[in-house]
Amino acid sequence: CEENPHSDVKQIIRELCTSLENFDLRWANFEQFYVLELMNIESNARKRIVEAISLDKEMTGFEMRERLKGKVVLNSEVYNALRRKFAETCCQINSVANSEGKGRDDLNVDILIAAEGISRRISNSQSRAVRNLAERIKKSFNAVSYTHLRAHETREDLVCRLLLEKK
């Protein structure tokens, strides 16, 4: 029996094509799974930012309504609950967003409340260092404002926020 070298080459090419098609199909399935996982991660991260924007907006509205009534918001349980949730959400964002692994999610609004108390009770002449630290804590918390968070808002977030505002 004489072998035909051309038929062997053709058979090898067919097997190679089949193998490459199978590899391509498996690779496409992997990429699809990978992309869906990335989209899920991004969606979860965006939820925290949208939540922080919503909480900040709610706090700002509460502050404005209470000021119009001539009330102080610091003693309000509702306002402090909003601030607590806002601080937790910002800490989660900080923890996830810090690419160097230095983000913290263990800080909470109690630190801010204590800093505000120190600012009210301690004068510059009593302890300038303690008062400065308290003021820096307050400024850090206030730096994460509605307008700052809005700078990270995407078109999808904007649509989501607009839909939420209509409710």
Side-chain angles (χ1 to χ4, degrees):
C1 243
E2 197 173 303
E3 291 186 20
N4 183 351
H6 293 295
S7 66
D8 288 343
V9 170
K10 286 180 182 179
Q11 178 62 29
I12 291 171
I13 291 172
R14 276 194 299 273
E15 288 174 8
L16 184 59
C17 285
T18 301
S19 294
L20 287 173
E21 286 172 358
N22 287 334
F23 174 77
D24 188 50
L25 180 64
R26 286 183 175 83
W27 184 258
N29 288 337
F30 166 77
E31 282 183 327
Q32 182 179 14
F33 176 76
Y34 180 73
V35 168
L36 288 174
E37 185 68 22
L38 287 176
M39 289 170 62
N40 186 37
I41 291 168
E42 191 262 344
S43 175
N44 287 336
R46 184 182 310 127
K47 284 178 190 176
R48 288 186 174 133
I49 292 174
V50 169
E51 180 182 6
I53 290 169
S54 177
L55 287 165
D56 190 65
K57 185 176 180 184
E58 200 172 338
M59 287 187 317
T60 302
F62 189 89
E63 290 168 357
M64 290 174 20
R65 286 189 303 277
E66 294 300 301
R67 279 190 196 127
L68 289 173
K69 295 176 190 175
K71 294 183 178 180
V72 177
V73 295
L74 291 178
N75 300 328
S76 168
E77 287 183 33
V78 172
Y79 182 72
N80 284 330
L82 287 170
R83 288 183 1 153
R84 186 172 310 305
K85 184 64 180 161
F86 178 75
E88 288 170 7
T89 303
C90 288
C91 285
Q92 289 171 350
I93 292 168
N94 181 40
S95 176
V96 172
N98 190 303
S99 61
E100 296 175 5
K102 295 179 182 176
R104 296 183 64 170
D105 64 355
D106 61 335
L107 302 175
N108 61 41
V109 79
D110 295 332
I111 294 169
L112 173 66
I113 292 169
E116 289 171 340
I118 288 170
S119 293
R120 286 191 304 274
R121 289 189 314 271
I122 296 179
S123 68
N124 279 335
S125 61
Q126 288 176 309
S127 177
R128 174 170 261 152
V130 171
R131 186 165 174 78
N132 284 342
L133 178 59
E135 290 300 322
R136 287 189 5 225
I137 291 169
K138 287 171 40 181
K139 284 180 185 176
S140 295
F141 183 82
N142 291 329
V144 184
S145 66
Y146 181 59
T147 52
H148 175 75
L149 289 167
R150 279 288 218 31
H152 299 286
E153 198 171 45
T154 65
R155 286 184 186 161
E156 292 85 6
D157 296 331
L158 181 61
V159 169
C160 179
R161 185 173 50 79
L162 292 173
L163 289 172
L164 289 172
E165 286 176 359
K166 286 186 176 185
K167 288 184 178 181

